[in-house]
Amino acid sequence: MYWFVNFSEENHSEILISVPKKTIPFSTKRNKIKRLIRESYRTNKNILQLNNQGINISFMFLSSEIPEYNSLEEKIKVILHRLNDKL
């Protein structure tokens, strides 16, 4: 994960999700992983405490296995808690 804090007047956040074709060769599986990441971020984005600032976040999935939603959601929660501590 990479992030960039956006100090503009519009305080909206954006995410980018990358699943490389080398690690997951089938597009249907790549799209499923992207949907899982997007949904777990959407349900847990309230963890981030942003004070009048936006943030651009980039998630990169580098594993060769398709994760279960529950395990992926727990990892996203850990990532968002760590990011919140650094902000």
Side-chain angles (χ1 to χ4, degrees):
M1 181 186 87
Y2 293 103
W3 75 92
F4 175 75
V5 178
N6 189 3
F7 294 105
S8 67
E9 293 178 7
E10 300 175 7
N11 55 357
H12 67 280
S13 299
E14 295 180 348
I15 63 168
L16 175 120
I17 302 168
S18 174
V19 181
K21 193 174 187 179
K22 277 188 173 182
T23 58
I24 309 289
F26 299 107
S27 63
T28 54
K29 293 180 181 180
R30 283 195 311 269
N31 291 334
K32 180 179 180 178
I33 293 170
K34 289 178 192 179
R35 284 194 308 270
L36 292 174
I37 293 172
R38 193 176 300 123
E39 179 64 18
S40 63
Y41 173 77
R42 185 188 69 81
T43 57
N44 295 303
K45 65 183 175 184
N46 58 354
I47 293 173
L48 294 176
Q49 303 293 324
L50 302 174
N51 299 326
N52 295 329
Q53 62 189 9
I55 189 166
N56 299 336
I57 303 173
S58 170
F59 293 104
M60 286 177 275
F61 186 82
L62 300 175
S63 176
S64 60
E65 299 175 1
I66 298 175
E68 293 291 324
Y69 177 74
N70 294 333
S71 65
L72 184 68
E73 185 178 25
E74 290 301 318
K75 291 177 183 177
I76 294 290
K77 284 181 183 179
V78 169
I79 289 170
L80 292 177
H81 280 292
R82 286 181 185 173
L83 178 61
N84 193 35
D85 292 340
K86 290 188 179 189
L87 293 177

